[in-house]
Amino acid sequence: MSEISRRNLFRAAGVLGASAAIPAELRAEARQSRPSPAARQQAHPKPAARAPYRFFNTLEAAFIEAAVDRLIPPDSQWTGAVGAGVPGYIDLQLAGAYGQGARLYRSGPWDTGLPSQGYQLALTPAQLYRTAIASLDRQLKQHVSSGAKNAPAFARLSSDDQDGVLRDLEAGKMDLSGIPSAVFFETLLANTIEGFFSDPMYGGNRDMVGWRMIGFPGAYATYLGIYTNHGERFTREPMSIAQSPQEHHPMPGGLPPFDSGVQRRG
Amino acid sequence: MARTLPSVDVVFVGMGFTAAIIARELKDSSVKMVGLERGRARNTVPDFQSPSMHDELAFAVRHGLMQDLSQETVTFRNTPDQKALPMRQLGSFLPGTDLGGAGVHWNGQTFRFQPEDFRLRSHHEERYGRDIIAEELTIQDWGLTYEDLEPYYDRFEYLLGVGGYAGNVGGEIRPGGNPFEAKRSRDYPNPPTAPAYLGVLFAKAAMELGYSPYQVPSSNMTRAYTNPEGVRLEPCMVCGYCERFGCEHFAKSSPQTTLLPVVLQQPNFALRTNAHVTRVNLTPDGKHATGVTYIDLATGQETIQPAELVVLSAFAFHNPRLMLLSGIGKSYDPSTGEGNVGRNYAYQTMGSVSLFYDEDVELNQFMGAGALGTVISDYVSDNFDHSKLGFIGGAYICAYTTGARPIEYHPVPPGTPRWGLAWKQAVARYYNHTGGLQVHGQSCARRTNYVDLDPTYKDAFGQPLLRITFDFPENDLRMSHYVTDRAGEIAERMGASQVVVNPRTAPYSVVPYQTTHNTGGAIMGADPKTSACNRYGQSWDVPNVFVTGTALFPQNASYNPTDTVGALAYWTADAIKTRYLSSPAPLVQP
């Protein structure tokens, strides 16, 4: 580890414990000013009772809940990644096909490669998170001399110190049991952004809060009559896949559909 | 033990646009055809339907309609002295899979190449002298001309139902169209798209600078259309889920919406899906194909399909790979310059300009379509004087509005942190108030850019992967800087508060998406030593093997390739129908 990251960690160690007992979500709420009730409902959807995690263990959940809310923090106008349900989104992704490395070419031999050659680790996304978070926690604890020894270390840091650790990860200054920290950070950041902006059916973007924040309307099937109203603000409520009309178009031209999977023998 | 099926006259390897075109052109013949598709069958109903198709995560980010790399990928390196490693995740390009191929998830931007693109080396030597072409560039003439292809471009555009305003009909230059386009025999079948807001801002600025903006020729329907095959398409709804998605509305031309409904009813054609071809079988002397071997993915059964004629009609990578796996032609070696298969792999040289507007400018780019754009061709190909520029080639400059899906599109100005509160607030501030210009550039072939078989990595069936060796030639980087600067000048007049110019830089990386316009590897030409196929796409080495698609391109032009891919398929089909079938032999004597 470099001097810079060590400095961050030592600084972090000094303040551990101060906010450890307060869940990230509640801390976020405490910092917010209070808009009108209606606006508040949309900008800060009421946290649903959290579903149990399928993939994350306690240590991992504590890290993820703390880290994603630093990547996309709450502010006076809009909730952050935790309020939008991003930890649950990432959990389901890692428990499913993506986490298991579906569609990833996974044959060796393995080599570090050049940046232009992209991801070259042998790990699936699920293995990447599992290995990286445990390794990070061990390294953080080495610099902690007080507080509950077994409690997840990252979540007990102050926000500023969490940001310092995340910056070190981003800059590739740490080795997470062989994983370059930047590779883990970029995966985490990408998955966090996915969880904030993907359709709510995946567990994040709760009440379409990410879409409301930027003005993206979601799954509308047509703008044919209005896209030429140049410069006009689009004010209709966003729509998720679950809210969309579910009906199939008829096949045009009087031609019968050809059946998926049916093969004629030549 | 492989089973052997009864012989057919023609077997297609890959059932996308080009195979469907050739199969349709042979509908009245007595030939018996089988189309082998390694993916599954799929159709507009029920596979591309709302609301499930409006899922950015599944289709745009997780690449639900694209090649599954766990089964097969490519390896990549920038230069021949590096070690190629497998592309483990999709990024820079997105080859399609399943019935219809990449023709399902393309944008529908439907440009013809210009006459000089087909005579690239000759044209530049004639106009500027030999010295203008850098020594490392291995650009070649195609062995055919724009005039040869014009009737076939016309066929394909009427099949697709392209919407556009022609700039040159029969030699008459018409204001409002593209004044640089070559002579076309008639109008587009449908009217042009109505521009989006960003396109209007672009057109005004471009005209002030003396350029000639026009609407991108679009295969997203601008009105209901019944094509010459009797298949009906419906108007585009501008829903913003087009590129990377299948169209729910029957509004984007694809094999499914233009041809397959009739091809699949031909008595002389049979489709076989889940059929993964592993090689073309040759006679012992290697000069004649006897058919193909494939694995039935449903059963694992190795199957031999004997055929009189083999058409390699898969995506660009797979055609040269199958040739190399089968021993058709000679693998290109950059150290000697010898070998005709694998040479002249090229790509697309993409630059861009970002425009950050004040908050009262609502661009609404989520209302988009794959080919909705306003474009100028003033810096395409040799439409501008290159004598003092130090490069050849060019790029079109386009304001596209193809949909602004937020996982992938959340632009912020340079200097903004990549995460945290400042990032979040910048995303909210800039999402609907940021536009972009695309600088879509030519890609010249280069001696050290090529494809061959990887010595180390294998696919799921134990066969070597294709290895890509590629980086941008200095010529193309200079071109990108020059044209992107011109795009920046236009952007400065478009009323944005901040303009950022992003020309293409080296090294090429397989990580960020650029385009799926991969070309070359089985190129056409006039000389069997420097091309894999003759001007009809017929293999020089095994004349009963034909190749289709962008693998045939000796280098890539500024414009998107699909119109030329379709035109070449009609051209090849015509040669097979009118000449080859009656006399199966080389159509060109070397």
Short mmCIF file of all heavy atoms in Angstrom, two decimals, chain B residues 57-100:
data_model
loop_
_atom_site.label_atom_id
_atom_site.label_comp_id
_atom_site.label_asym_id
_atom_site.label_seq_id
_atom_site.Cartn_x
_atom_site.Cartn_y
_atom_site.Cartn_z
N LEU B 57 -30.94 -2.34 -18.91
CA LEU B 57 -29.97 -3.22 -18.24
C LEU B 57 -29.80 -4.53 -19.01
O LEU B 57 -28.69 -4.96 -19.32
CB LEU B 57 -30.41 -3.51 -16.80
CG LEU B 57 -29.41 -4.37 -16.01
CD1 LEU B 57 -28.13 -3.59 -15.71
CD2 LEU B 57 -30.02 -4.92 -14.74
N ALA B 58 -30.92 -5.16 -19.36
CA ALA B 58 -30.84 -6.49 -19.98
C ALA B 58 -30.23 -6.44 -21.37
O ALA B 58 -29.45 -7.31 -21.75
CB ALA B 58 -32.23 -7.11 -20.04
N PHE B 59 -30.59 -5.43 -22.15
CA PHE B 59 -30.19 -5.45 -23.56
C PHE B 59 -29.00 -4.55 -23.88
O PHE B 59 -28.10 -4.95 -24.61
CB PHE B 59 -31.39 -5.12 -24.44
CG PHE B 59 -32.48 -6.12 -24.28
CD1 PHE B 59 -33.63 -5.84 -23.57
CD2 PHE B 59 -32.34 -7.40 -24.81
CE1 PHE B 59 -34.63 -6.78 -23.40
CE2 PHE B 59 -33.33 -8.36 -24.64
CZ PHE B 59 -34.47 -8.05 -23.94
N ALA B 60 -28.99 -3.32 -23.33
CA ALA B 60 -27.89 -2.42 -23.67
C ALA B 60 -26.66 -2.68 -22.81
O ALA B 60 -25.54 -2.56 -23.28
CB ALA B 60 -28.33 -0.96 -23.52
N VAL B 61 -26.87 -3.04 -21.53
CA VAL B 61 -25.74 -3.18 -20.60
C VAL B 61 -25.28 -4.64 -20.50
O VAL B 61 -24.09 -4.92 -20.56
CB VAL B 61 -26.11 -2.62 -19.22
CG1 VAL B 61 -24.94 -2.77 -18.24
CG2 VAL B 61 -26.50 -1.14 -19.33
N ARG B 62 -26.22 -5.57 -20.36
CA ARG B 62 -25.84 -6.99 -20.26
C ARG B 62 -25.85 -7.68 -21.63
O ARG B 62 -25.62 -8.88 -21.73
CB ARG B 62 -26.79 -7.72 -19.31
CG ARG B 62 -26.78 -7.20 -17.88
CD ARG B 62 -25.64 -7.73 -17.05
NE ARG B 62 -25.77 -7.31 -15.67
CZ ARG B 62 -25.11 -6.29 -15.13
NH1 ARG B 62 -24.23 -5.62 -15.85
NH2 ARG B 62 -25.30 -5.94 -13.88
N HIS B 63 -26.18 -6.92 -22.69
CA HIS B 63 -26.02 -7.39 -24.06
C HIS B 63 -26.85 -8.64 -24.37
O HIS B 63 -26.36 -9.62 -24.93
CB HIS B 63 -24.55 -7.68 -24.36
CG HIS B 63 -23.64 -6.53 -24.03
ND1 HIS B 63 -22.60 -6.62 -23.14
CD2 HIS B 63 -23.64 -5.25 -24.45
CE1 HIS B 63 -21.99 -5.45 -23.05
NE2 HIS B 63 -22.60 -4.60 -23.83
N GLY B 64 -28.13 -8.58 -24.00
CA GLY B 64 -29.00 -9.74 -24.15
C GLY B 64 -29.16 -10.27 -25.57
O GLY B 64 -29.48 -11.44 -25.75
N LEU B 65 -28.95 -9.42 -26.58
CA LEU B 65 -29.12 -9.88 -27.96
C LEU B 65 -27.78 -10.16 -28.65
O LEU B 65 -27.74 -10.41 -29.84
CB LEU B 65 -29.90 -8.85 -28.78
CG LEU B 65 -31.29 -8.49 -28.27
CD1 LEU B 65 -31.94 -7.44 -29.18
CD2 LEU B 65 -32.20 -9.72 -28.20
N MET B 66 -26.69 -10.10 -27.88
CA MET B 66 -25.38 -10.19 -28.51
C MET B 66 -24.70 -11.53 -28.25
O MET B 66 -25.13 -12.34 -27.43
CB MET B 66 -24.49 -9.05 -28.00
CG MET B 66 -24.79 -7.71 -28.62
SD MET B 66 -26.43 -7.10 -28.19
CE MET B 66 -26.31 -5.38 -28.49
N GLN B 67 -23.59 -11.70 -28.95
CA GLN B 67 -22.82 -12.94 -28.87
C GLN B 67 -22.46 -13.28 -27.42
O GLN B 67 -22.02 -12.41 -26.67
CB GLN B 67 -21.55 -12.79 -29.71
CG GLN B 67 -20.69 -14.05 -29.75
CD GLN B 67 -19.55 -13.90 -30.74
OE1 GLN B 67 -19.70 -13.30 -31.80
NE2 GLN B 67 -18.40 -14.45 -30.40
N ASP B 68 -22.62 -14.54 -27.07
CA ASP B 68 -22.30 -15.02 -25.72
C ASP B 68 -20.82 -15.39 -25.67
O ASP B 68 -20.41 -16.41 -26.22
CB ASP B 68 -23.18 -16.23 -25.40
CG ASP B 68 -22.92 -16.80 -24.02
OD1 ASP B 68 -22.00 -16.31 -23.32
OD2 ASP B 68 -23.64 -17.74 -23.64
N LEU B 69 -20.04 -14.56 -24.99
CA LEU B 69 -18.59 -14.77 -25.00
C LEU B 69 -18.16 -16.01 -24.24
O LEU B 69 -17.04 -16.48 -24.41
CB LEU B 69 -17.86 -13.54 -24.44
CG LEU B 69 -18.07 -12.22 -25.18
CD1 LEU B 69 -17.04 -11.20 -24.71
CD2 LEU B 69 -17.99 -12.37 -26.69
N SER B 70 -19.04 -16.54 -23.38
CA SER B 70 -18.63 -17.76 -22.67
C SER B 70 -18.48 -18.91 -23.66
O SER B 70 -17.77 -19.88 -23.39
CB SER B 70 -19.66 -18.11 -21.59
OG SER B 70 -20.85 -18.62 -22.16
N GLN B 71 -19.11 -18.80 -24.83
CA GLN B 71 -18.97 -19.83 -25.85
C GLN B 71 -17.84 -19.53 -26.83
O GLN B 71 -17.12 -20.41 -27.25
CB GLN B 71 -20.29 -19.95 -26.64
CG GLN B 71 -21.47 -20.33 -25.78
CD GLN B 71 -21.29 -21.70 -25.15
OE1 GLN B 71 -21.21 -22.70 -25.84
NE2 GLN B 71 -21.20 -21.73 -23.83
N GLU B 72 -17.76 -18.26 -27.21
CA GLU B 72 -16.73 -17.88 -28.19
C GLU B 72 -16.48 -16.40 -28.11
O GLU B 72 -17.41 -15.61 -28.06
CB GLU B 72 -17.21 -18.24 -29.62
CG GLU B 72 -16.20 -17.86 -30.69
CD GLU B 72 -16.77 -18.04 -32.10
OE1 GLU B 72 -17.53 -19.00 -32.33
OE2 GLU B 72 -16.47 -17.19 -32.95
N THR B 73 -15.21 -16.02 -28.12
CA THR B 73 -14.87 -14.61 -28.17
C THR B 73 -13.74 -14.44 -29.18
O THR B 73 -13.53 -15.31 -30.04
CB THR B 73 -14.49 -14.10 -26.76
OG1 THR B 73 -14.24 -12.70 -26.84
CG2 THR B 73 -13.27 -14.82 -26.19
N VAL B 74 -13.07 -13.32 -29.14
CA VAL B 74 -11.86 -13.10 -29.93
C VAL B 74 -10.74 -12.78 -28.96
O VAL B 74 -10.99 -12.39 -27.82
CB VAL B 74 -12.02 -11.94 -30.93
CG1 VAL B 74 -13.06 -12.27 -31.99
CG2 VAL B 74 -12.38 -10.64 -30.21
N THR B 75 -9.51 -12.96 -29.40
CA THR B 75 -8.40 -12.42 -28.60
C THR B 75 -7.93 -11.15 -29.27
O THR B 75 -8.18 -10.91 -30.45
CB THR B 75 -7.24 -13.41 -28.44
OG1 THR B 75 -6.61 -13.62 -29.72
CG2 THR B 75 -7.73 -14.73 -27.87
N PHE B 76 -7.23 -10.33 -28.49
CA PHE B 76 -6.89 -9.00 -29.00
C PHE B 76 -5.54 -8.54 -28.49
O PHE B 76 -5.16 -8.79 -27.34
CB PHE B 76 -7.97 -7.99 -28.57
CG PHE B 76 -7.50 -6.58 -28.74
CD1 PHE B 76 -7.40 -6.03 -30.00
CD2 PHE B 76 -7.09 -5.84 -27.64
CE1 PHE B 76 -6.90 -4.74 -30.16
CE2 PHE B 76 -6.59 -4.55 -27.80
CZ PHE B 76 -6.50 -4.00 -29.07
N ARG B 77 -4.85 -7.82 -29.34
CA ARG B 77 -3.62 -7.10 -28.97
C ARG B 77 -3.51 -5.91 -29.92
O ARG B 77 -4.12 -5.91 -31.00
CB ARG B 77 -2.40 -8.01 -29.10
CG ARG B 77 -2.24 -8.57 -30.50
CD ARG B 77 -1.09 -9.57 -30.61
NE ARG B 77 -1.04 -10.12 -31.97
CZ ARG B 77 -0.10 -10.95 -32.41
NH1 ARG B 77 0.86 -11.34 -31.60
NH2 ARG B 77 -0.12 -11.38 -33.65
N ASN B 78 -2.72 -4.91 -29.54
CA ASN B 78 -2.57 -3.74 -30.39
C ASN B 78 -1.54 -3.96 -31.50
O ASN B 78 -1.69 -3.42 -32.60
CB ASN B 78 -2.16 -2.52 -29.56
CG ASN B 78 -3.31 -1.96 -28.73
OD1 ASN B 78 -3.27 -1.95 -27.52
ND2 ASN B 78 -4.36 -1.50 -29.40
N THR B 79 -0.46 -4.69 -31.18
CA THR B 79 0.62 -4.83 -32.16
C THR B 79 1.12 -6.28 -32.18
O THR B 79 0.95 -7.02 -31.20
CB THR B 79 1.83 -3.92 -31.78
OG1 THR B 79 2.24 -4.24 -30.44
CG2 THR B 79 1.44 -2.45 -31.84
N PRO B 80 1.76 -6.70 -33.28
CA PRO B 80 2.18 -8.09 -33.40
C PRO B 80 3.20 -8.53 -32.35
O PRO B 80 3.36 -9.73 -32.12
CB PRO B 80 2.80 -8.16 -34.81
CG PRO B 80 2.19 -7.04 -35.56
CD PRO B 80 1.96 -5.96 -34.55
N ASP B 81 3.89 -7.59 -31.70
CA ASP B 81 4.86 -8.02 -30.69
C ASP B 81 4.23 -8.21 -29.31
O ASP B 81 4.91 -8.62 -28.38
CB ASP B 81 6.03 -7.03 -30.61
CG ASP B 81 5.56 -5.62 -30.24
OD1 ASP B 81 4.36 -5.33 -30.46
OD2 ASP B 81 6.38 -4.83 -29.74
N GLN B 82 2.96 -7.91 -29.17
CA GLN B 82 2.28 -8.12 -27.89
C GLN B 82 1.64 -9.51 -27.84
O GLN B 82 1.49 -10.17 -28.87
CB GLN B 82 1.18 -7.06 -27.68
CG GLN B 82 1.73 -5.65 -27.52
CD GLN B 82 0.62 -4.62 -27.48
OE1 GLN B 82 -0.53 -4.91 -27.78
NE2 GLN B 82 0.98 -3.40 -27.12
N LYS B 83 1.27 -9.91 -26.61
CA LYS B 83 0.57 -11.17 -26.44
C LYS B 83 -0.94 -10.89 -26.46
O LYS B 83 -1.42 -10.08 -25.66
CB LYS B 83 0.97 -11.80 -25.11
CG LYS B 83 0.32 -13.13 -24.82
CD LYS B 83 0.84 -13.67 -23.50
CE LYS B 83 0.12 -14.96 -23.13
NZ LYS B 83 0.50 -15.40 -21.78
N ALA B 84 -1.64 -11.55 -27.34
CA ALA B 84 -3.09 -11.35 -27.41
C ALA B 84 -3.76 -12.04 -26.23
O ALA B 84 -3.38 -13.14 -25.84
CB ALA B 84 -3.63 -11.90 -28.72
N LEU B 85 -4.75 -11.37 -25.66
CA LEU B 85 -5.54 -11.95 -24.58
C LEU B 85 -7.02 -11.94 -24.97
O LEU B 85 -7.45 -11.10 -25.77
CB LEU B 85 -5.33 -11.17 -23.28
CG LEU B 85 -3.92 -11.26 -22.68
CD1 LEU B 85 -3.81 -10.40 -21.43
CD2 LEU B 85 -3.55 -12.71 -22.37
N PRO B 86 -7.78 -12.87 -24.40
CA PRO B 86 -9.19 -12.93 -24.80
C PRO B 86 -9.98 -11.70 -24.35
O PRO B 86 -9.73 -11.17 -23.26
CB PRO B 86 -9.70 -14.19 -24.09
CG PRO B 86 -8.73 -14.45 -23.00
CD PRO B 86 -7.41 -13.93 -23.46
N MET B 87 -10.88 -11.26 -25.20
CA MET B 87 -11.84 -10.23 -24.80
C MET B 87 -12.89 -10.95 -23.96
O MET B 87 -13.74 -11.65 -24.46
CB MET B 87 -12.46 -9.62 -26.06
CG MET B 87 -13.44 -8.49 -25.80
SD MET B 87 -14.07 -7.82 -27.35
CE MET B 87 -15.24 -9.11 -27.83
N ARG B 88 -12.79 -10.79 -22.62
CA ARG B 88 -13.62 -11.60 -21.73
C ARG B 88 -15.02 -11.02 -21.55
O ARG B 88 -15.95 -11.74 -21.20
CB ARG B 88 -12.91 -11.76 -20.38
CG ARG B 88 -11.57 -12.51 -20.52
CD ARG B 88 -10.91 -12.78 -19.18
NE ARG B 88 -9.63 -13.48 -19.37
CZ ARG B 88 -9.52 -14.80 -19.56
NH1 ARG B 88 -10.59 -15.56 -19.55
NH2 ARG B 88 -8.33 -15.34 -19.75
N GLN B 89 -15.14 -9.70 -21.75
CA GLN B 89 -16.46 -9.05 -21.68
C GLN B 89 -16.65 -8.26 -22.97
O GLN B 89 -15.70 -7.73 -23.53
CB GLN B 89 -16.52 -8.06 -20.51
CG GLN B 89 -16.36 -8.68 -19.15
CD GLN B 89 -16.23 -7.63 -18.05
OE1 GLN B 89 -15.69 -6.55 -18.25
NE2 GLN B 89 -16.74 -7.95 -16.88
N LEU B 90 -17.88 -8.14 -23.42
CA LEU B 90 -18.15 -7.30 -24.58
C LEU B 90 -17.89 -5.84 -24.24
O LEU B 90 -18.13 -5.40 -23.11
CB LEU B 90 -19.59 -7.48 -25.05
CG LEU B 90 -19.88 -8.75 -25.84
CD1 LEU B 90 -21.39 -8.91 -26.05
CD2 LEU B 90 -19.16 -8.73 -27.19
N GLY B 91 -17.43 -5.09 -25.23
CA GLY B 91 -17.17 -3.68 -25.00
C GLY B 91 -17.20 -2.89 -26.29
O GLY B 91 -18.23 -2.37 -26.69
N SER B 92 -16.04 -2.86 -26.96
CA SER B 92 -15.85 -2.01 -28.12
C SER B 92 -16.83 -2.28 -29.26
O SER B 92 -17.24 -1.38 -29.96
CB SER B 92 -14.42 -2.21 -28.63
OG SER B 92 -14.21 -1.58 -29.85
N PHE B 93 -17.21 -3.54 -29.43
CA PHE B 93 -18.14 -3.91 -30.51
C PHE B 93 -19.07 -5.01 -30.02
O PHE B 93 -18.74 -5.73 -29.06
CB PHE B 93 -17.40 -4.35 -31.78
CG PHE B 93 -16.22 -5.23 -31.50
CD1 PHE B 93 -16.39 -6.58 -31.26
CD2 PHE B 93 -14.94 -4.71 -31.47
CE1 PHE B 93 -15.31 -7.40 -31.00
CE2 PHE B 93 -13.83 -5.53 -31.20
CZ PHE B 93 -14.02 -6.88 -30.97
N LEU B 94 -20.24 -5.15 -30.67
CA LEU B 94 -21.29 -6.03 -30.17
C LEU B 94 -21.85 -6.92 -31.27
O LEU B 94 -22.94 -6.69 -31.81
CB LEU B 94 -22.43 -5.18 -29.58
CG LEU B 94 -22.03 -4.20 -28.48
CD1 LEU B 94 -23.20 -3.29 -28.11
CD2 LEU B 94 -21.51 -4.93 -27.25
N PRO B 95 -21.12 -7.99 -31.62
CA PRO B 95 -21.66 -8.91 -32.64
C PRO B 95 -22.98 -9.53 -32.16
O PRO B 95 -23.10 -9.90 -31.00
CB PRO B 95 -20.57 -9.98 -32.76
CG PRO B 95 -19.35 -9.38 -32.18
CD PRO B 95 -19.82 -8.42 -31.13
N GLY B 96 -23.92 -9.62 -33.07
CA GLY B 96 -25.21 -10.20 -32.73
C GLY B 96 -25.14 -11.71 -32.67
O GLY B 96 -24.13 -12.33 -32.98
N THR B 97 -26.24 -12.28 -32.25
CA THR B 97 -26.35 -13.73 -32.27
C THR B 97 -27.81 -14.05 -32.52
O THR B 97 -28.66 -13.17 -32.51
CB THR B 97 -25.86 -14.35 -30.94
OG1 THR B 97 -25.72 -15.76 -31.11
CG2 THR B 97 -26.82 -14.09 -29.81
N ASP B 98 -28.10 -15.29 -32.80
CA ASP B 98 -29.46 -15.77 -33.05
C ASP B 98 -29.97 -15.31 -34.43
O ASP B 98 -29.35 -14.51 -35.12
CB ASP B 98 -30.44 -15.32 -31.95
CG ASP B 98 -30.06 -15.89 -30.59
OD1 ASP B 98 -29.55 -17.02 -30.56
OD2 ASP B 98 -30.26 -15.20 -29.58
N LEU B 99 -31.10 -15.84 -34.80
CA LEU B 99 -31.66 -15.60 -36.14
C LEU B 99 -31.77 -14.09 -36.42
O LEU B 99 -32.27 -13.34 -35.59
CB LEU B 99 -33.04 -16.25 -36.23
CG LEU B 99 -33.73 -16.21 -37.60
CD1 LEU B 99 -32.91 -16.93 -38.65
CD2 LEU B 99 -35.13 -16.83 -37.52
N GLY B 100 -31.31 -13.69 -37.60
CA GLY B 100 -31.33 -12.27 -37.94
C GLY B 100 -30.04 -11.55 -37.62
O GLY B 100 -29.77 -10.48 -38.15
#
